[in-house]
Amino acid sequence: MTTTINRPILLIEDNPVDIDLTLRAFSRRNLANPIEIARDGEEAVGWIARWEAGAPLPIVILLDLKLPRIDGLEVLRRFRDHEISKNLPVVVLTSSSEDRDIETAYNYHANSYIVKPVNFDKFTEVAAQIELYWCLLNQPPE
Amino acid sequence: MTQTNAPSPGKFTTDRQSQPWIFALVIALLILLTEQVIEHFAQRSIVEEEQAHVIVHLSTIRARLEGEVNSNLLLVQGLAAVIAAQPNMDQTEFARIAKNLTNKGNALRNIVGAPDMVASLLYPVAGNEAVLGLNYRTHPTQSAEAMRAMEQGKPIIAGPLELVQGGIGIIAREPVFIVEDPGIPPRPWGLISAVLDTDELYRVTGLDKVDHGLQLAIRGTDGTGADGPVFFGEPQVFQQTPVTLDVSLPSGSWQLAAMPAAGWGESDSTLVIVRILGVLIALAAAVAGYLLSQGNIRLTRTAEQLGNSEARLRTLLNTIPDLIWMKDPQGAYLFCNPRFEAIYGAKESEIRGKYDRDFIDASQADEIQKRDQTAIASSTPQTYEEWVVFSDDDHRELHETIKTPVYNNNAKLIGIMGIGRDITKRKQTEDELRKQKALLDRTSRLAKVGGWQFDVDTLEGYFTEEARRIHDLEPNASISLEKGLSFYTEESRPLIEQAVKNALEQGTPYDLELEMITATGAHKWIRAMGQPIKEGGKVVRVEGAIQDISDLHEAEAIARQRETVLDSVFQSIPDLFFLMDADGTIRDYRAQQTANLYVPPEAFLGKRMSEVLPPDVSQLFSQKLQLAFMQKKLITYEYDLAISGEVRRFESRLSKLPDSDQCIAIVRDITEQHHTHQALTQSEQRYRNLLENAPFPALLSDAENGTLLYCNRRVETLFGLNHDQGIGMLASVFYQNSANRQGYIDQLKAQQHIYDLELPMQTLDGKPFWALVSASLIDSVIFTAINDISDRKNMEAEITALNSQLEKRVLERTRELDAANKELETFTYSVSHDLKAPLRGIDGYSRLLQEQYDSLLDEEGQLFLGNVREGVEQMNRLINDLLAYSRMERRKLQNKLIDIRQQVEKILAESREQIQATGAIISVNVDDIYARADLDGFAIVVRNLLDNALKFSRDSQPPTIQISATRQEKSIILEIKDNGIGFDMQFHERIFEIFQRLQRAEDYPGTGVGLAIVAKAIKRMNGRVWAESTPGAGATFFVELAQ
């Protein structure tokens, strides 16, 4: 448990408003884990090399699907292709509620799929639930 | 003269000088033997011949006797008839009638009439006066017979008897009765007697003639037959097995007997001489033997006597036509007669001492020798038949030869004697007889006529061979009357038994057709004829013939059956049948009696056709009848006949009967057929015109050889033919590719009809065109209708080209559309993300303002921020609804069976909170039914309709929603009914369009997309949705989905 407290959350999100609101939502929860941010798909994929180089693995990855450069689903696919990241918990957090997106995400072994609520109160609630579940309840792989 | 094979003393020798006694003995034996043999042969054939000869003569005499007696009796009966009519006739009248009656009589001496049995009427009177006054009641000799005639009431023949007027006569007596009243018995008048002079009778009948060479005798005085005394000729004739015949008389009979005047077999004078001489010579020989045995030998005298005897014997031997010879035991000739000399063509002196082999070839000689030895070995005379060739003229004779071994007193064999007689002629006669008998047998067998007879006393019988064959009896089976009758069937036996009884008791002949079962069980029809034979007034036997008429009977049965069949045939068919002679005379006529035009047979039978037919028809008939007889084949013709004022048409078929001068006619009323035929002809003409003038080309062709049988005008125009040019032409010339035609014919044969087949064809001069062909195969003739569709084909080609162009364009447009759709999808996708992100920012920061800058904003500022967030909320709903709508349009649908009740209840459970919040009462009445639809699509539809119902009934007290579903024939209908505000039916279609709202947003918030999603989902599930409403009275939404 001691290690998980220090492991970061990787937020892959391009929209600065969404990043700000997400960080605010998490900050309201007094989250202990650091939050790493990848602003596009390419940057997200770049994390694979960093993890392989010894960077601490995230306790959970929050992945938006609509990303510049590399699409979120593609990012997920690449994570799953690499030994280092294939078992990392990935929660898709997106505005899309398209059946096709949901289906594809799970095909790439997403661990969860959450639609971002527009209402900020609900969004805060979602952040709380994520933190509670993925950072406290869930036992991630080493 | 010395015997060559050295005779010893005491042995037989021919040396007359030394041992004349031996010779005498031999001669005596020889003579006796010869005489017996010859006589035997001669008598056998002669007696047969004589009997036949006697019968012929005797039959003639009998016929004359019966004729004479009966004809005179007839005269008397005629007179009796006259007297019965004139009982008081006087002498003058009697004499006048009698004179007329007796003119022709030959033996008739006189006629006497005796009223009251006293002779008072007489003709002729002269010479017969003594008769007058004779009282028949009291006359000593004539009374009995006269009274018998009166008692029996029948004529009788009396005598011969001594006449009152002198002389011997035979009297025919006729009793006369007078019938005065039919009610009372006839009164006896008296007697009429006709006296026949016996001498005259004998003379007239030829009995007294001596030149017939017969000894004749008659017995049976007063008609007593064989039992009566002999009154003519010698009584001993009856003791010498004469030929006898019965002379039938009105009462009883006489028996006539005859034999040759010289006795049986005595007519040949040679035989008489043979016999007398033989006896004499034998006697002489015996005397000689006697003298010898006494030892009192007066040799010389005896020798002289013997010499005389020998001379006489020689004469005999020389004249006898038979061969006589004697050989010693070794076969050397001892002597022979001159007739024998002719065989070997040598004198006796040359033959004597020689052997047969000295004259004929060795094999023949051996054969003779063998027979001689056989006779010697048997010690008795042996008879042979041998062909003998006379060497003088080489003629052959068949001889019956008797070879007798001869022994002396010491029983020592002294030789073998032979006597040969020419039986060539006898043999020929016998052969002829045998042949004739065989012929007779065959004939009777062919005719299947058998003969039989039964003896009345013994009831034993005799069947001829054929009679036995008819009964299927063994040749040797014994026959009795009882057995003979036993063969008849139950039906026939009483008839034959009665007939036999009548024959036996009353002498009645019979002739019956009867059925019998033969010894081997075969059924036969026979004709049995029986003739009782009387002797001495009573039936002694019954003779008869039996004929197998089974074939005839069967033929009659068949004929009867044919008759019935013929009649039945013409009872069951409407034709009339006539059998006619060559002149048209109707001999038989048959017709159905129930027919309307039935004419009874008497109208036709025996009449000529010319009598029953009107002149014109009759004349036609005569011509045809003549033709039928000349050509000997069936002649058929038709004619009209007015019957009961209506002209009817008949068909007559005349046919001469083979081997007959008759002709049959079968006449049939064909009026209806004739009318039909005429109608048919008209109809055919009509159809022909129709076809000829048909507005389309039509033709007939032969399915087998493909030639054209008919073309109408349009075909001629189409194919470029002159009138009638097409007929006989091969249809294949009009095909651009003749293989097409074969395929077309094959298809036609398989299906009988072809409709609208398009074929490339060409005209006669090769101009191609497209033909639309329809055809029917009718009895191997093809009826084809053709249309030139070249114009249409050209247009079709254009259309096809246009179509392909069009398709190409469509393909292009579709591709464009696909790209557009793809773009739209991307657009929608982007909207879902990119519109929501700023909204989330607006809402998020508004919320943060509310939270963190609460104290800096006044009440109005707070209200503004609240409105901002409400707008965001509205915008978010709109986006979600649009996405849902878009998703509904794009998502893949599954087609599954959905349990309607289960799904409805599931959706209600999900919406429980919302429902409870409105306080609505929801009732579900859904049968256990299933619909075929997409599960999610269905849920979206129901959820939206439920939302809709809840929203617009929120002010009802309470809101009530009824959900029900019913099963239709092929679909189900889901009904969701609320008690809300409803809508004006003029908007019942618009409410399903997107962004269409009937209420203000502040009253009933909504995006205007819900029902559009429902419509879109239902449309994609191939269902139907509609709504009914009255404003203020609630609305009902219906969803129809396939089962």
Coordinates of all heavy atoms in Angstrom, one line a residue, chain B residues 770-838:
Chain B
W770 N -37.2 -9.6 -85.7 CA -37.5 -10.2 -84.4 C -38.9 -10.6 -84.4 O -39.8 -9.9 -84.7 CB -37.1 -9.3 -83.3 CG -35.7 -9.4 -82.8 CD1 -34.7 -8.6 -83.2 CD2 -35.2 -10.4 -82.0 NE1 -33.5 -9.0 -82.7 CE2 -33.8 -10.1 -81.9 CE3 -35.7 -11.5 -81.3 CZ2 -32.9 -10.9 -81.1 CZ3 -34.8 -12.3 -80.5 CH2 -33.4 -12.0 -80.5
A771 N -39.1 -11.9 -84.0 CA -40.5 -12.4 -83.9 C -40.8 -12.8 -82.5 O -40.0 -13.3 -81.8 CB -40.6 -13.6 -84.8
L772 N -42.1 -12.5 -82.2 CA -42.6 -12.9 -80.9 C -43.5 -14.1 -81.2 O -44.5 -13.9 -81.9 CB -43.4 -11.8 -80.2 CG -44.0 -12.1 -78.8 CD1 -42.8 -12.2 -77.8 CD2 -44.9 -11.1 -78.3
V773 N -43.2 -15.2 -80.7 CA -43.9 -16.5 -81.2 C -44.6 -17.1 -80.0 O -44.1 -17.2 -78.9 CB -42.9 -17.5 -81.7 CG1 -43.6 -18.8 -82.1 CG2 -42.1 -16.9 -82.9
S774 N -45.9 -17.4 -80.3 CA -46.7 -18.2 -79.4 C -47.2 -19.4 -80.2 O -47.6 -19.2 -81.3 CB -47.9 -17.4 -78.8 OG -47.4 -16.4 -78.0
A775 N -47.2 -20.6 -79.5 CA -47.5 -21.8 -80.3 C -48.2 -22.8 -79.4 O -48.0 -22.8 -78.2 CB -46.3 -22.4 -81.0
S776 N -49.0 -23.7 -80.1 CA -49.6 -24.8 -79.4 C -49.4 -26.0 -80.3 O -49.5 -25.9 -81.5 CB -51.1 -24.6 -79.2 OG -51.3 -23.6 -78.2
L777 N -49.1 -27.1 -79.6 CA -48.9 -28.4 -80.4 C -50.3 -29.1 -80.2 O -50.7 -29.5 -79.1 CB -47.8 -29.2 -79.7 CG -47.5 -30.6 -80.4 CD1 -47.1 -30.4 -81.8 CD2 -46.5 -31.3 -79.6
I778 N -50.9 -29.4 -81.4 CA -52.2 -30.1 -81.4 C -52.2 -31.2 -82.3 O -52.1 -31.0 -83.6 CB -53.4 -29.1 -81.8 CG1 -53.3 -27.8 -80.9 CG2 -54.7 -29.8 -81.7 CD1 -54.1 -26.7 -81.5
D779 N -52.1 -32.4 -81.8 CA -52.1 -33.6 -82.7 C -51.0 -33.5 -83.7 O -51.2 -33.7 -84.9 CB -53.4 -33.8 -83.3 CG -54.5 -34.1 -82.3 OD1 -54.2 -34.5 -81.2 OD2 -55.7 -33.8 -82.6
S780 N -49.8 -33.3 -83.3 CA -48.6 -33.2 -84.1 C -48.7 -32.1 -85.2 O -47.9 -32.1 -86.2 CB -48.3 -34.6 -84.8 OG -49.1 -34.8 -85.9
V781 N -49.6 -31.2 -85.0 CA -49.6 -30.0 -85.8 C -49.3 -28.8 -84.9 O -49.9 -28.8 -83.8 CB -51.0 -29.9 -86.5 CG1 -51.1 -28.5 -87.2 CG2 -51.2 -31.0 -87.5
I782 N -48.5 -28.0 -85.4 CA -48.2 -26.8 -84.6 C -48.9 -25.6 -85.1 O -48.8 -25.3 -86.3 CB -46.6 -26.5 -84.6 CG1 -45.9 -27.8 -84.2 CG2 -46.3 -25.3 -83.7 CD1 -44.4 -27.6 -84.4
F783 N -49.6 -25.0 -84.2 CA -50.3 -23.7 -84.5 C -49.5 -22.6 -84.0 O -49.2 -22.6 -82.8 CB -51.7 -23.7 -83.9 CG -52.4 -22.4 -84.1 CD1 -52.8 -21.9 -85.4 CD2 -52.6 -21.6 -83.0 CE1 -53.4 -20.7 -85.5 CE2 -53.2 -20.4 -83.1 CZ -53.6 -19.9 -84.4
T784 N -49.0 -21.7 -84.8 CA -48.1 -20.7 -84.4 C -48.6 -19.3 -84.7 O -49.1 -19.1 -85.9 CB -46.7 -20.9 -85.1 OG1 -46.3 -22.2 -85.0 CG2 -45.7 -20.0 -84.5
A785 N -48.6 -18.4 -83.8 CA -48.9 -17.0 -84.0 C -47.7 -16.2 -83.9 O -46.9 -16.4 -82.9 CB -50.0 -16.6 -83.0
I786 N -47.4 -15.4 -84.9 CA -46.1 -14.6 -84.9 C -46.4 -13.1 -85.0 O -47.3 -12.7 -85.6 CB -45.3 -15.0 -86.2 CG1 -45.0 -16.5 -86.2 CG2 -44.0 -14.2 -86.3 CD1 -44.4 -17.0 -87.4
N787 N -45.6 -12.4 -84.2 CA -45.7 -11.0 -84.3 C -44.3 -10.4 -84.6 O -43.3 -10.8 -84.0 CB -46.2 -10.4 -83.0 CG -47.7 -10.2 -83.1 OD1 -48.2 -9.7 -84.1 ND2 -48.4 -10.7 -82.1
D788 N -44.2 -9.5 -85.5 CA -43.0 -8.8 -85.8 C -42.7 -7.8 -84.7 O -43.5 -6.8 -84.6 CB -43.1 -8.1 -87.2 CG -41.7 -7.5 -87.5 OD1 -40.8 -7.4 -86.7 OD2 -41.6 -7.0 -88.7
I789 N -41.7 -8.0 -83.9 CA -41.5 -7.1 -82.7 C -40.2 -6.4 -82.9 O -39.5 -6.0 -81.9 CB -41.5 -7.8 -81.4 CG1 -40.6 -9.0 -81.4 CG2 -42.9 -8.3 -81.0 CD1 -40.2 -9.6 -80.1
S790 N -39.8 -6.3 -84.2 CA -38.5 -5.6 -84.4 C -38.4 -4.2 -83.8 O -37.5 -3.8 -83.1 CB -38.2 -5.5 -85.9 OG -38.1 -6.8 -86.5
D791 N -39.5 -3.4 -84.0 CA -39.6 -2.1 -83.4 C -39.4 -2.1 -81.9 O -38.6 -1.3 -81.4 CB -40.9 -1.4 -83.8 CG -41.0 -1.2 -85.3 OD1 -40.0 -1.3 -86.0 OD2 -42.1 -0.9 -85.8
R792 N -40.1 -3.0 -81.3 CA -40.1 -3.1 -79.9 C -38.7 -3.4 -79.4 O -38.1 -2.9 -78.4 CB -41.1 -4.1 -79.4 CG -41.5 -3.9 -77.9 CD -42.2 -5.1 -77.4 NE -41.3 -6.1 -76.9 CZ -41.6 -7.3 -76.7 NH1 -42.8 -7.8 -76.9 NH2 -40.6 -8.2 -76.3
K793 N -38.1 -4.4 -80.2 CA -36.8 -4.9 -79.8 C -35.8 -3.7 -79.9 O -34.9 -3.6 -79.0 CB -36.3 -6.0 -80.7 CG -36.9 -7.4 -80.4 CD -36.6 -7.8 -79.0 CE -35.4 -8.7 -78.9 NZ -35.3 -9.3 -77.6
N794 N -35.9 -2.9 -80.9 CA -35.0 -1.7 -81.1 C -35.2 -0.8 -79.9 O -34.2 -0.3 -79.3 CB -35.3 -1.0 -82.4 CG -34.9 -1.9 -83.6 OD1 -34.2 -2.8 -83.4 ND2 -35.5 -1.6 -84.7
M795 N -36.4 -0.6 -79.5 CA -36.7 0.3 -78.4 C -36.1 -0.3 -77.1 O -35.5 0.4 -76.3 CB -38.2 0.6 -78.2 CG -38.6 1.7 -79.2 SD -40.3 2.3 -78.9 CE -41.3 1.0 -78.4
E796 N -36.3 -1.5 -77.0 CA -35.7 -2.2 -75.8 C -34.2 -2.0 -75.7 O -33.7 -1.8 -74.6 CB -36.1 -3.7 -75.8 CG -37.4 -4.0 -75.2 CD -37.7 -5.5 -75.3 OE1 -36.8 -6.3 -75.7 OE2 -38.9 -5.8 -75.0
A797 N -33.6 -2.2 -76.8 CA -32.1 -2.0 -76.9 C -31.7 -0.6 -76.4 O -30.8 -0.4 -75.6 CB -31.6 -2.3 -78.3
E798 N -32.5 0.4 -76.8 CA -32.2 1.7 -76.4 C -32.4 1.9 -74.9 O -31.6 2.5 -74.2 CB -33.2 2.7 -77.1 CG -32.7 3.2 -78.5 CD -33.8 4.1 -79.1 OE1 -34.3 5.0 -78.4 OE2 -34.1 3.8 -80.3
I799 N -33.5 1.3 -74.4 CA -33.8 1.4 -73.0 C -32.7 0.7 -72.2 O -32.2 1.3 -71.2 CB -35.2 0.7 -72.7 CG1 -36.3 1.6 -73.2 CG2 -35.3 0.5 -71.2 CD1 -37.6 1.0 -73.2
T800 N -32.2 -0.4 -72.7 CA -31.2 -1.1 -72.0 C -29.9 -0.2 -71.9 O -29.3 -0.1 -70.8 CB -30.8 -2.4 -72.7 OG1 -32.0 -3.1 -72.9 CG2 -29.9 -3.3 -71.9
A801 N -29.6 0.4 -73.0 CA -28.4 1.3 -73.0 C -28.6 2.4 -72.0 O -27.7 2.7 -71.2 CB -28.2 1.9 -74.4
L802 N -29.8 3.0 -72.0 CA -30.1 4.1 -71.1 C -30.0 3.6 -69.7 O -29.4 4.3 -68.8 CB -31.5 4.7 -71.4 CG -31.6 5.6 -72.6 CD1 -33.1 5.9 -72.9 CD2 -30.8 6.9 -72.4
N803 N -30.5 2.4 -69.4 CA -30.5 1.9 -68.1 C -29.1 1.7 -67.6 O -28.8 2.1 -66.4 CB -31.2 0.6 -68.1 CG -32.7 0.7 -67.8 OD1 -33.2 1.8 -67.4 ND2 -33.5 -0.3 -68.0
S804 N -28.3 1.2 -68.4 CA -26.9 1.0 -67.9 C -26.2 2.3 -67.6 O -25.5 2.4 -66.7 CB -26.1 0.1 -69.0 OG -25.7 0.9 -70.0
Q805 N -26.5 3.3 -68.4 CA -26.0 4.6 -68.2 C -26.5 5.1 -66.8 O -25.7 5.6 -66.0 CB -26.5 5.6 -69.2 CG -25.4 6.1 -70.2 CD -26.0 7.0 -71.2 OE1 -27.1 6.9 -71.6 NE2 -25.2 8.0 -71.6
L806 N -27.8 4.9 -66.7 CA -28.4 5.4 -65.4 C -27.8 4.7 -64.2 O -27.5 5.3 -63.2 CB -29.9 5.1 -65.5 CG -30.8 5.8 -64.5 CD1 -30.7 7.3 -64.8 CD2 -32.2 5.3 -64.6
E807 N -27.6 3.4 -64.4 CA -27.1 2.6 -63.3 C -25.7 3.1 -62.9 O -25.3 3.2 -61.7 CB -27.0 1.1 -63.6 CG -28.2 0.4 -63.3 CD -28.2 -1.0 -63.9 OE1 -27.1 -1.6 -64.1 OE2 -29.3 -1.6 -64.2
K808 N -24.9 3.5 -64.0 CA -23.6 4.0 -63.7 C -23.7 5.3 -62.9 O -22.9 5.5 -61.9 CB -22.9 4.3 -65.1 CG -21.4 3.9 -65.1 CD -21.0 3.6 -66.5 CE -20.4 4.9 -67.1 NZ -20.1 4.6 -68.6
R809 N -24.6 6.1 -63.3 CA -24.8 7.3 -62.5 C -25.2 7.1 -61.1 O -24.7 7.7 -60.2 CB -25.9 8.2 -63.2 CG -25.3 9.1 -64.3 CD -26.3 10.0 -64.8 NE -26.3 10.1 -66.2 CZ -27.2 10.6 -67.0 NH1 -28.3 11.1 -66.4 NH2 -27.1 10.7 -68.3
V810 N -26.1 6.2 -61.0 CA -26.6 5.9 -59.6 C -25.4 5.5 -58.8 O -25.3 5.9 -57.6 CB -27.7 4.8 -59.7 CG1 -28.0 4.2 -58.3 CG2 -29.0 5.4 -60.2
L811 N -24.6 4.6 -59.4 CA -23.5 4.1 -58.7 C -22.6 5.2 -58.2 O -22.1 5.3 -57.0 CB -22.7 3.2 -59.6 CG -22.0 2.0 -58.9 CD1 -23.1 1.1 -58.3 CD2 -21.2 1.1 -60.0
E812 N -22.4 6.2 -59.1 CA -21.6 7.4 -58.7 C -22.2 8.1 -57.6 O -21.5 8.5 -56.6 CB -21.4 8.3 -59.9 CG -20.4 7.9 -60.9 CD -20.5 8.7 -62.2 OE1 -21.1 9.8 -62.2 OE2 -20.0 8.2 -63.3
R813 N -23.5 8.3 -57.7 CA -24.2 9.1 -56.7 C -24.1 8.4 -55.3 O -24.0 9.0 -54.3 CB -25.7 9.3 -57.1 CG -25.9 10.2 -58.3 CD -25.6 11.7 -57.9 NE -25.3 12.4 -59.1 CZ -26.2 12.9 -60.0 NH1 -27.5 12.7 -59.8 NH2 -25.8 13.5 -61.1
T814 N -24.3 7.1 -55.4 CA -24.3 6.3 -54.2 C -22.9 6.5 -53.5 O -22.8 6.6 -52.3 CB -24.5 4.8 -54.5 OG1 -25.7 4.7 -55.3 CG2 -24.7 4.0 -53.2
R815 N -21.9 6.4 -54.4 CA -20.6 6.6 -53.8 C -20.4 8.0 -53.1 O -19.9 8.1 -52.0 CB -19.5 6.4 -54.9 CG -18.4 5.5 -54.5 CD -17.4 5.4 -55.7 NE -17.9 4.4 -56.6 CZ -17.9 4.5 -57.9 NH1 -17.5 5.7 -58.5 NH2 -18.3 3.6 -58.7
E816 N -21.0 9.0 -53.8 CA -20.9 10.3 -53.2 C -21.7 10.4 -51.9 O -21.3 11.0 -50.9 CB -21.6 11.3 -54.2 CG -20.7 11.6 -55.4 CD -21.4 12.3 -56.5 OE1 -22.5 12.9 -56.2 OE2 -20.9 12.4 -57.6
L817 N -22.9 9.7 -52.0 CA -23.7 9.7 -50.8 C -23.0 9.0 -49.6 O -23.1 9.5 -48.5 CB -25.0 8.9 -51.1 CG -26.2 9.2 -50.2 CD1 -26.6 10.7 -50.2 CD2 -27.4 8.3 -50.6
D818 N -22.4 7.9 -50.0 CA -21.6 7.2 -48.9 C -20.6 8.1 -48.3 O -20.4 8.1 -47.1 CB -20.9 5.9 -49.5 CG -21.9 4.8 -49.7 OD1 -23.1 4.9 -49.2 OD2 -21.5 3.8 -50.4
A819 N -19.9 8.8 -49.2 CA -18.9 9.7 -48.6 C -19.5 10.8 -47.7 O -19.0 11.1 -46.7 CB -18.1 10.4 -49.8
A820 N -20.7 11.3 -48.2 CA -21.4 12.3 -47.4 C -21.8 11.7 -46.1 O -21.6 12.4 -45.0 CB -22.6 12.8 -48.2
N821 N -22.3 10.5 -46.1 CA -22.7 9.9 -44.9 C -21.5 9.7 -43.9 O -21.6 10.0 -42.7 CB -23.3 8.5 -45.2 CG -24.8 8.5 -45.5 OD1 -25.4 9.5 -45.1 ND2 -25.3 7.5 -46.1
K822 N -20.4 9.3 -44.5 CA -19.2 9.2 -43.7 C -18.8 10.5 -43.0 O -18.5 10.5 -41.8 CB -18.1 8.7 -44.7 CG -16.8 8.3 -43.9 CD -16.9 6.8 -43.6 CE -15.6 6.4 -42.8 NZ -15.8 5.2 -42.1
E823 N -18.9 11.5 -43.8 CA -18.6 12.8 -43.4 C -19.5 13.3 -42.2 O -19.1 13.7 -41.2 CB -18.8 13.8 -44.5 CG -17.8 15.0 -44.5 CD -18.0 15.7 -45.9 OE1 -17.8 15.1 -46.9 OE2 -18.3 16.9 -45.8
L824 N -20.8 12.9 -42.5 CA -21.8 13.3 -41.4 C -21.5 12.5 -40.1 O -21.7 13.1 -39.0 CB -23.2 12.9 -42.0 CG -24.4 13.3 -41.1 CD1 -24.5 14.8 -41.0 CD2 -25.7 12.7 -41.7
E825 N -21.1 11.3 -40.3 CA -20.8 10.5 -39.1 C -19.7 11.1 -38.3 O -19.8 11.3 -37.1 CB -20.4 9.1 -39.6 CG -20.7 8.0 -38.5 CD -20.4 6.7 -39.1 OE1 -21.1 6.3 -40.1 OE2 -19.5 6.0 -38.7
T826 N -18.7 11.5 -39.1 CA -17.5 12.1 -38.5 C -18.0 13.4 -37.8 O -17.5 13.7 -36.6 CB -16.4 12.5 -39.5 OG1 -16.3 11.3 -40.3 CG2 -15.1 12.8 -38.8
F827 N -18.9 14.1 -38.5 CA -19.4 15.4 -38.0 C -20.1 15.2 -36.6 O -19.9 15.8 -35.6 CB -20.3 16.0 -39.0 CG -21.1 17.2 -38.5 CD1 -20.5 18.4 -38.3 CD2 -22.4 17.0 -38.2 CE1 -21.2 19.5 -37.9 CE2 -23.2 18.1 -37.7 CZ -22.6 19.3 -37.6
T828 N -21.0 14.2 -36.7 CA -21.8 13.9 -35.5 C -20.9 13.5 -34.3 O -21.0 13.9 -33.2 CB -22.7 12.7 -35.8 OG1 -23.4 13.0 -37.0 CG2 -23.8 12.6 -34.6
Y829 N -19.9 12.7 -34.7 CA -18.9 12.2 -33.7 C -18.2 13.4 -33.0 O -18.1 13.5 -31.8 CB -17.9 11.3 -34.4 CG -17.0 10.6 -33.4 CD1 -17.5 9.6 -32.6 CD2 -15.7 11.0 -33.4 CE1 -16.6 8.9 -31.8 CE2 -14.8 10.3 -32.5 CZ -15.2 9.3 -31.7 OH -14.4 8.6 -30.9
S830 N -17.8 14.3 -33.9 CA -17.1 15.4 -33.4 C -18.0 16.3 -32.5 O -17.6 16.8 -31.5 CB -16.6 16.3 -34.6 OG -15.7 15.5 -35.4
V831 N -19.2 16.5 -33.0 CA -20.2 17.3 -32.2 C -20.3 16.7 -30.8 O -20.3 17.4 -29.8 CB -21.5 17.3 -32.9 CG1 -22.6 17.8 -32.0 CG2 -21.5 18.2 -34.1
S832 N -20.4 15.4 -30.8 CA -20.6 14.8 -29.4 C -19.5 15.1 -28.5 O -19.7 15.3 -27.3 CB -20.8 13.3 -29.6 OG -19.6 12.7 -29.9
H833 N -18.3 15.2 -29.0 CA -17.2 15.5 -28.2 C -17.0 17.0 -28.0 O -16.9 17.6 -26.9 CB -15.9 14.9 -28.8 CG -15.8 13.5 -28.5 ND1 -16.3 12.6 -29.4 CD2 -15.2 12.8 -27.5 CE1 -16.1 11.4 -28.9 NE2 -15.4 11.5 -27.8
D834 N -16.9 17.7 -29.2 CA -16.4 19.0 -29.2 C -17.5 20.0 -28.7 O -17.1 21.1 -28.3 CB -15.9 19.4 -30.6 CG -14.8 18.5 -31.0 OD1 -14.2 17.8 -30.1 OD2 -14.5 18.3 -32.2
L835 N -18.8 19.7 -28.8 CA -19.8 20.6 -28.3 C -19.9 20.5 -26.8 O -20.2 21.4 -26.1 CB -21.1 20.4 -28.9 CG -21.3 20.9 -30.4 CD1 -22.8 20.7 -30.8 CD2 -21.0 22.3 -30.5
K836 N -19.6 19.2 -26.4 CA -19.8 19.0 -24.9 C -18.6 19.6 -24.1 O -18.9 20.1 -23.0 CB -19.9 17.5 -24.7 CG -21.3 17.0 -24.8 CD -21.4 15.5 -24.4 CE -22.8 15.0 -24.4 NZ -22.8 13.6 -23.9
A837 N -17.4 19.6 -24.7 CA -16.3 20.0 -23.9 C -16.5 21.5 -23.4 O -16.3 21.8 -22.2 CB -15.0 19.9 -24.7
P838 N -16.9 22.4 -24.3 CA -17.1 23.8 -23.8 C -18.2 23.9 -22.9 O -18.2 24.7 -21.9 CB -17.4 24.6 -25.1 CG -17.6 23.6 -26.2 CD -17.0 22.3 -25.8

